[in-house]
Structure formats: structure tokens, C-alpha cells
Amino acid sequence: MAIQDVPNEIKNDPKLGRSMAKWGAIGAVVAIPLPFVGPIIGAAAGAGYAYYKNKKG
């Protein structure tokens, strides 16, 4: 699987998109007080976690 396949998977599975948005928002909020991480990286980490969790289980 390549990184180009991720948008198609999100389009085909709305539940995955909602989960990634939710975990991305949580990651951004949690990372706000961490100056070396920041909300952008926190959001990416949260969305990545949701994607990994969905594909693993």
C-alpha cells in the first residue's frame, strides 16, 4: 500500500474519515502546550493513530 491510496480509503470508508478527524483534533489540542511539538504535528499524529487503529483492527 502506498501513501497515495490513503485518500481513496478515506473516501470509501466515512467512518475512518470521522475517526481521523476526531483523533486529529484531540492530538492538536493535547499538543498545544508542548512547544516542541505544536498543534500541526499533534493533529497529524492523532490522525495517524486513528488510521493505524482502523487498519489494525
Side-chain angles (χ1 to χ4, degrees):
M1 175 200 289
I3 194 77
Q4 295 87 2
D5 298 332
V6 173
N8 290 330
E9 288 185 40
I10 295 170
K11 288 178 187 175
N12 293 334
D13 187 3
K15 183 179 173 187
L16 174 60
R18 283 192 299 272
S19 178
M20 288 177 74
K22 178 182 81 171
W23 281 101
I26 291 170
V29 170
V30 168
I32 286 173
L34 303 175
F36 58 92
V37 175
I40 302 280
I41 296 172
Y49 170 74
Y51 184 79
Y52 170 76
K53 189 173 78 168
N54 183 276
K55 291 301 162 188
K56 181 181 171 194

